[in-house]
Amino acid sequence: MKKIHILILTLLLSIGALSQTFTEQDTLRGSITPERAWWDLNYYHLDIAVNPDKKYISGKNTIIYTVLDEKQVLQLDLQPPLKIEKITQNGKKLKFVSKTNAHFVTLKKKQKKGNVNEIVVHYSGHPKEAIRAPWDGGLSWKKDENGKHFVATSCQGLGASVWWPNKDHMYDEVDSMRISVTNPKGLSNISNGKLEKFEENKNTVTSHWVIKNPINNYGVNINIGDYIHFSEVYNGEKGALDMDYFVLRDNLEKAKKHFIDARKTMEAFEHWFGPYPFYEDGYKLVEVPYLGMEHQSSVTYGNKYKKGYLGRDLSGTGWGLKFDFIIIHESGHEWFANNITYKDIADMWIHESFTAYSESIFLDYHYGTQAANEYVVGTRSSINNDIPIIGKYDVNHRGSGDMYYKGANMLHTIRQLINNDEKWRKILRGLNKVFYHKTVTTKQIEDYMSHQSGIDLTNIFNQYLRDTRIPTLEYKVENNYLKFRYTDIIDGFNMPIKVKVNEIEQWIFPAKQWKEIKVSSDDTSVVINRNFYINTKQI
């Protein structure tokens, strides 16, 4: 029986994908258009006022950029029903033409290559309200149990332009950012980075947050509520890391006990993945009115202070109740999503496969390799094998929700092939070092892993990322031979696997054609190592 969580995590990603047609808006959202390509993001200052009573946002975004090519029309993105009020450069109002979400701005100032310029975008309106955050995206306008406003943003896939104007494509991350938010008194806004200053006005308060590291657009967030704060310092690989926790006032005591998983996560992931990527901005865990998400240095949490996924073990093995799923999974995204970020959402597996795999890595560090193995193998019951994991490029299209646990099991299989856990650890840490604060493609990740492992993994990636079939190992013992072959494979797939023949472990090398090895008798016992993600069929 498929678990409920997979209907949430994967069905929403895959629905309608087989028959989907793409529009001009999909291309304008998902491609590096000529109006995006000629300028490079340097800095944002998002300065907004949030009125929870009216579910209304107003303010401006100052955008600083470097000219790469001498063009005069620039694409910005902002989704209706929000409206751009005006755009200025050097105090002069600019003309723009809108195509629904995309807005094409004609600049008056001559754009000279190498120059650093600035535009200011003023906007306001009632942003899209999230119905099933974080999957559909938008603003969550909720209230806590005391009747106080409880507001949060979430916008992966749909795009950050659902609530603020920006260059809404993942290939170009802003180098640094400031977020200024004005909201009613009695409430606090928590955003990414570190709090620079806090101002009290007549009926409102304004918080100013500074982000020193590159950040992807969907990672930017605001969280407004009746928060109370506690903190600790973690002495990690790069020194002292501030770990701050913001929870609703009534949840302080249970959070102090439950959030121990955050520190345990940092220990495990620094060991396996390398130093936390954002020491300058710190680490925050912020309670929100939805399940949670991987906002950079401002990880959001709504798992109701339960172990597992809302109290359920996703693996069915018992190991999934040893940790709070949201703390571990969303914190894992600090390495895979926020440090290493896809250029195109079609490559979203880079975020989700590695982070789903990080759940087992957490168990490996704290409970041992056997626990990790049992957990990741247990998650296979949630795999649908409906459509390929990699989506369509340049149209903002995600592939199958199998990017979570099918992707995790692919990585687990690669670990078995490498057959050297210290080498595997160096590859995971190397990814986060070589691609530190970078946007990447699938090819870059595939090539790096093949090169560093010394194994050509091309057909492994092609089989699991681009095909829906799971390799089936057919085998039989007859006439004192173990005979075996693969079916349901792409051309050229010949992944070796470990088997136990009469309790003795050895490698075999199946392919599409039958192969055989000599055994002692037809009564030979054959046990296939379950850590390789394949189906088996005894003939």
Side-chain angles (χ1 to χ4, degrees):
M1 181 177 177
K2 298 295 182 187
K3 296 181 178 65
I4 295 174
H5 82 281
I6 282 298
L7 293 179
I8 298 172
L9 288 174
T10 68
L11 187 57
L12 290 174
L13 296 179
S14 301
I15 191 167
L18 289 173
S19 59
Q20 183 171 354
T21 56
F22 299 104
T23 66
E24 181 186 30
Q25 279 300 309
D26 294 323
T27 299
L28 291 175
R29 170 75 174 89
S31 64
I32 304 173
T33 62
E35 293 81 11
R36 283 174 171 154
W38 68 265
W39 57 287
D40 179 55
L41 273 174
N42 300 146
Y43 178 79
Y44 288 135
H45 180 195
L46 180 62
D47 185 1
I48 60 173
V50 180
N51 187 329
D53 286 330
K54 296 182 178 180
K55 298 183 179 180
Y56 189 82
I57 289 179
S58 60
K60 61 184 179 180
N61 187 23
T62 300
I63 304 172
I64 297 177
Y65 63 93
T66 299
V67 178
L68 303 178
D69 195 7
E70 297 182 356
K71 307 289 185 181
Q72 292 298 126
V73 179
L74 174 152
Q75 179 182 339
L76 291 174
D77 303 280
L78 183 68
Q79 298 179 32
L82 292 173
K83 293 182 179 180
I84 294 177
E85 295 170 351
K86 65 177 179 179
I87 303 173
T88 62
Q89 186 167 68
N90 298 333
K92 297 179 180 179
K93 194 172 180 179
L94 303 174
K95 292 182 179 180
F96 61 93
V97 175
S98 299
K99 291 187 176 181
T100 312
N101 301 342
H103 310 275
F104 298 90
V105 186
T106 299
L107 303 168
K108 294 180 179 179
K109 178 184 176 181
K110 178 66 176 176
Q111 303 296 297
K112 295 183 179 180
K113 189 172 182 179
N115 281 5
V116 176
N117 294 331
E118 173 183 305
I119 60 171
V120 183
V121 186
H122 298 258
Y123 78 109
S124 63
H126 300 273
K128 177 183 179 295
E129 185 169 356
I131 305 303
R132 300 188 68 185
W135 298 284
D136 62 336
L139 267 287
S140 295
W141 304 100
K142 306 293 184 181
K143 290 191 176 181
D144 66 20
E145 292 183 356
N146 298 318
K148 293 190 175 183
H149 287 292
F150 195 18
V151 180
T153 57
S154 55
C155 54
Q156 186 179 15
L158 182 61
S161 57
V162 73
W163 69 277
W164 61 287
N166 59 79
K167 186 181 189 178
D168 206 358
H169 193 286
M170 298 291 288
Y171 87 99
D172 189 9
E173 291 187 344
V174 72
D175 299 328
S176 60
M177 184 171 180
R178 182 185 302 270
I179 304 171
S180 301
V181 178
T182 300
N183 55 262
K185 274 190 174 178
L187 302 174
S188 301
N189 170 65
I190 312 302
S191 289
N192 315 78
K194 290 191 174 182
L195 183 65
E196 181 187 54
K197 62 180 178 178
F198 184 82
E199 299 173 340
E200 290 201 26
N201 314 308
K202 184 178 180 180
N203 298 312
T204 61
V205 293
T206 304
S207 57
H208 300 273
W209 298 84
V210 174
I211 306 158
K212 294 183 178 180
N213 290 287
I215 186 169
N216 61 59
N217 288 335
Y218 85 81
V220 175
N221 70 349
I222 59 173
N223 307 284
I224 299 171
D226 182 22
Y227 286 118
I228 193 163
H229 167 248
F230 65 102
S231 64
E232 63 180 316
V233 175
Y234 171 71
N235 292 313
E237 290 193 17
K238 292 179 70 174
L241 172 64
D242 293 326
M243 299 184 69
D244 292 282
Y245 310 105
F246 295 87
V247 300
L248 292 181
R249 190 170 301 277
D250 293 347
N251 294 334
L252 177 61
E253 293 308 315
K254 59 183 169 184
K256 284 183 176 179
K257 296 177 181 178
H258 193 80
F259 282 7
I260 189 174
D261 272 1
R263 186 183 186 90
K264 291 174 66 177
T265 299
M266 200 61 65
E267 293 172 359
F269 291 170
E270 283 214 331
H271 172 81
W272 278 103
F273 298 152
Y276 177 70
F278 310 107
Y279 268 73
E280 300 87 350
D281 293 326
Y283 169 93
K284 289 189 294 297
L285 197 57
V286 186
E287 188 170 2
V288 290
Y290 62 86
L291 186 61
M293 202 170 165
E294 68 264 24
H295 303 101
Q296 182 175 311
S297 73
S298 182
V299 175
T300 51
Y301 175 83
N303 202 40
K304 302 185 184 301
Y305 300 95
K306 295 179 179 181
K307 294 294 187 181
Y309 183 101
L310 293 171
R312 300 192 301 275
D313 175 10
L314 304 189
S315 72
T317 64
W319 291 113
L321 296 177
K322 295 294 185 181
F323 58 87
D324 184 306
F325 173 89
I326 290 298
I327 295 177
I328 276 65
H329 182 92
E330 306 306 343
S331 297
H333 276 306
E334 292 283 60
W335 284 263
F336 292 96
N338 299 335
N339 185 36
I340 304 173
T341 308
Y342 56 66
K343 288 182 183 292
D344 191 301
I345 201 171
D347 290 334
M348 190 173 169
W349 78 273
I350 297 168
H351 294 197
E352 299 301 349
S353 297
F354 281 97
T355 306
Y357 179 68
S358 78
E359 298 157 26
S360 66
I361 286 297
F362 174 89
L363 286 168
D364 195 298
Y365 183 85
H366 290 289
Y367 298 96
T369 301
Q370 185 60 33
N373 292 350
E374 291 176 8
Y375 177 85
V376 72
V377 170
T379 62
R380 292 176 187 171
S381 62
S382 300
I383 297 171
N384 295 313
N385 290 312
D386 49 0
I387 58 173
I389 286 176
I390 292 179
K392 306 294 184 185
Y393 290 99
D394 298 323
V395 287
N396 197 48
H397 177 260
R398 292 176 284 197
S400 172
D402 284 345
M403 68 180 75
Y404 290 84
Y405 291 121
K406 183 177 179 181
N409 273 278
M410 176 190 72
L411 294 172
H412 186 62
T413 297
I414 292 172
R415 179 182 183 178
Q416 313 312 309
L417 290 172
I418 291 172
N419 200 32
N420 181 326
D421 279 352
E422 187 54 33
K423 188 174 185 178
W424 178 234
R425 176 172 169 251
K426 286 180 179 178
I427 289 172
L428 296 175
R429 290 173 65 94
L431 284 166
N432 281 281
K433 184 176 181 180
V434 171
F435 301 111
Y436 181 75
H437 291 178
K438 291 182 179 179
T439 60
V440 301
T441 64
T442 285
K443 186 177 188 308
Q444 287 176 285
I445 299 300
E446 291 181 355
D447 289 350
Y448 179 85
M449 293 181 69
S450 286
H451 179 73
Q452 295 299 317
S453 67
I455 303 170
D456 185 354
L457 299 170
T458 302
N459 285 330
I460 306 295
F461 289 120
N462 286 339
Q463 181 75 51
Y464 291 102
L465 296 179
R466 299 175 176 90
D467 199 279
T468 58
R469 296 170 297 171
I470 299 305
T472 297
L473 178 71
E474 295 184 344
Y475 69 98
K476 57 186 175 181
V477 179
E478 62 181 13
N479 299 324
N480 295 341
Y481 281 93
L482 170 61
K483 301 180 180 181
F484 48 87
R485 70 173 180 182
Y486 277 132
T487 59
D488 301 321
I489 57 172
I490 63 170
D491 290 341
F493 184 87
N494 58 356
M495 179 179 73
I497 58 171
K498 284 182 179 179
V499 300
K500 282 187 177 179
V501 179
N502 288 334
E503 301 300 319
I504 299 174
E505 189 171 69
Q506 65 183 81
W507 289 91
I508 61 172
F509 299 85
K512 186 172 288 187
Q513 295 75 32
W514 284 101
K515 292 187 175 183
E516 61 186 27
I517 58 174
K518 183 76 173 175
V519 293
S520 57
S521 73
D522 288 355
D523 293 328
T524 293
S525 68
V526 179
V527 179
I528 312 300
N529 190 313
R530 294 188 68 222
N531 291 308
F532 294 82
Y533 182 34
I534 59 171
N535 295 322
T536 59
K537 181 179 180 181
Q538 184 173 7
I539 303 299

